Amino acid sequence: REWPLSEPPEAFGQHGNAEISSAMVDTENMCSTIISLSGGSAGGGSGGNRDEQVFATCQALLEKLPENIDWEEVRERNESDASPLKVCLLQEIERYNELLTKTRASIKLLMKGIQGFVVISKDQEEVLTSLFAGQVPKSWLYAYPSLKPLSSWMPDLIDRIEQLNVWGFAGVPKVMWLGGVTYPTSLLTALLQASARKNMVSVDTLSFDFVVQTMDETGITAMPKEGAYIKAMILEGAKWDANIGALADADPMALFNAMPIVHFKPVARKKATTDGIYQCPLYLYPIRTGTRERPSFMTWVDLKAGQYSADLWTKRGTALL
C-alpha cells in the first residue's frame, strides 16, 4: 500500500481548510523571500520610475489621509460626561492624532527627498521601499498593529477616524467597532467601569456576558442600557450558524467568517459554565502571539459549541479576530 506524501488535516482532527491555510503561509513566505532577494528594484534605469511611482503614491495618500480630530472641541462637547468612556475616547483621539501628524510629516518629507530638496535618510529610504512595494512602513504601525497592505490600510484608517468623529461629536455609537481603537482592552475595561459606577458595585465583581444578536446593524435602533454592541468580528476556524445559534464547521475554502453583532453585557461575575460552551479567545489581529509590548489576546468570549465539544474547537484553534 502506498502512503500519501503528507497527512490529511482530518487525521489530526483539523478541518480541511487547515491545509489551505498552511499552503498560503508557505506561499507568502516564498514570495517574500523572492522579493527580498530582488532588492526591490530591477536595476538599470528603474530608479527614476520607482521615484515617480512613489511620489504619485505619496500625493494620493496625502489626499486620502484624514484631518486630525479636534481634541479640544470633543473635550468641551463632552465636558459634562464623567464616564470612563469619555476618558477612553480622548486617549484614542490623542493616539490617532499623533499617528496622523507623524504620517503626514513623513510623506511630505519623503516627497521633498524625491524632489532633491533634502537628503533622504535611512528611515525615509525604508518608507520609500515599503511604499514602492505596496506595504505599510513599519514607522507608521506604532499606534496599532496591522497586516493589511497599503491599499487596504488607508481605507481602514479612514474608517477608524470616522468612528471616533461620530463618537466624539454625536455620542457613543449604537454599535461599536472594537478593532477600530488602538487599545480595545481599555474600551472593555471602561464598559465594566461605567456599569460598576451605575450600579454602585466594585468593578472586580463584574464580567461580560456575550449575547449574539440575530439582527444586523440596521435593525439596532439604540445602544444597550449596559455594555455595548460589538460588530466586525471575524471567526477563524469555524462559522456561526444562525439557525442553531452556535458554532459550526466552516464551509470549504472559507478560512474566515463574519461573526454577528455580539452584546458585551456586564453582569455579576459568576462561576464559568463549561457544559456546551466554548471559551473562544478574542485576538486583536491574526498574529495571535502579538509582541511583548502589544499582546494580541484580549479576552475570552463564551460561545455555544454546537454539535461538537469545546475540545474540538480548541484543537482546531478556533478564535475571534
Side-chain angles (χ1 to χ4, degrees), residues 50 106 109-110 118-130 137-139:
R50 185 182 74 158
S106 176
L109 184 60
L110 179 59
V118 296
V119 177
I120 295 181
S121 64
K122 180 181 178 181
D123 292 340
Q124 288 300 305
E125 181 66 33
E126 292 176 353
V127 173
L128 188 148
T129 302
S130 296
K138 291 183 179 179
S139 58

Side-chain angles (χ1 to χ4, degrees), residues 9 15 21 23 34 54 60 97 106 113 118 130 132 143 149 175 182 184 200 209 218 225 235 242 249 263 283 296 302:
H15 191 274
S21 299
I34 294 173
V54 173
N97 279 347
S106 176
V118 296
S130 296
F132 182 67
V175 183
T182 59
M200 294 184 290
D209 189 21
T218 57
K225 296 180 180 179
L235 263 175
D249 273 328
H263 180 194
Y283 294 98
S296 184
D302 293 339

Side-chain angles (χ1 to χ4, degrees), residues 150-167:
L150 184 64
S151 58
S152 301
W153 181 80
M154 181 56 72
D156 178 75
L157 177 60
I158 294 173
D159 291 340
R160 290 167 178 265
I161 300 302
E162 177 62 24
Q163 175 173 247
L164 290 182
N165 274 316
V166 171
W167 187 357

Side-chain angles (χ1 to χ4, degrees), residues 77-88:
R77 279 175 172 264
N78 298 272
E79 195 168 6
S80 59
D81 183 9
S83 71
L85 288 174
K86 172 195 170 183
V87 177
C88 180

Side-chain angles (χ1 to χ4, degrees), residues 5 7-8 13 20 22 27 45 48 58 71 78 86 95 118 128 145 149 171-172 208 215 222 236 293 296 321:
L5 294 176
E7 298 83 357
I20 301 174
S22 177
T27 303
C58 289
W71 187 90
N78 298 272
K86 172 195 170 183
R95 297 188 191 106
V118 296
L128 188 148
V172 180
F208 282 114
M215 65 187 81
E236 183 179 16
E293 296 79 14
S296 184
L321 306 174

